[in-house]
Amino acid sequence: MNDVSREYSEALFRLASEQDKGQEYSDALELVKQLVVENPEYIDFMCSPGIPMHEREAAIDAAFSGDEVMTSIASFLKLLMKNGRSRELVEIIDEYQAIFKSAMGMSTAYVTSAAPLNGVEMDALRKNLEKRLGHKVECVFSTDASLIGGVVVRVDGKVIDSSIKSQLSDIRELIK
């Protein structure tokens, strides 16, 4: 995350907070993120100097018109486009979501395990993190066989690494 992207996400969060529509912005931004992840050519379109700015702005207005929140998001997308920051859109949305969740007393934990966890294990891990952090935690699970065993958890800027790979690396360092 670069400082400029963080500034954009904070500004958008302040706007959402002033309108008391943090959740509505969060939901709308997830739709925008889904759109650009599934259609990366949309970002290419927004960045294309070969297409006049007024045509790109009109396309954004057409795609994101509607209620007050979507109109604000369309304006935000046009601002990013004018300032040459469209390629940072997904990063800005992810940072907005982190700021919003933090303000709501929530965290997102990114959990990587050597093998897929079952529902009981996922729930137990989430509850353990909530108890440890003292607030609600949403978990995003992934697997990485190179861990050999155990899990790595990234939450609120912290890393909890209980993987076998990490333990073997620590032992290797002790032996040297």
Side-chain angles (χ1 to χ4, degrees), residues 65-86:
S65 63
D67 64 8
E68 179 184 3
V69 171
M70 288 310 285
T71 301
S72 293
I73 288 176
S75 295
F76 183 74
L77 294 174
K78 290 187 286 188
L79 176 70
L80 291 178
M81 189 172 59
K82 287 178 185 175
N83 293 338
R85 298 288 180 183
S86 295

Side-chain angles (χ1 to χ4, degrees), residues 148-159:
I148 304 169
V151 297
V152 176
V153 178
R154 288 174 178 78
V155 61
D156 296 341
K158 299 175 189 134
V159 177

Side-chain angles (χ1 to χ4, degrees), residues 112-114 144-154 159-175:
T112 306
S113 57
D144 179 356
S146 75
L147 295 180
I148 304 169
V151 297
V152 176
V153 178
R154 288 174 178 78
V159 177
I160 304 165
D161 189 344
S162 65
S163 67
I164 301 296
K165 180 180 179 179
S166 174
Q167 292 171 17
L168 290 173
S169 178
D170 291 347
I171 291 170
R172 226 177 275 123
E173 288 299 314
L174 285 173
I175 293 173

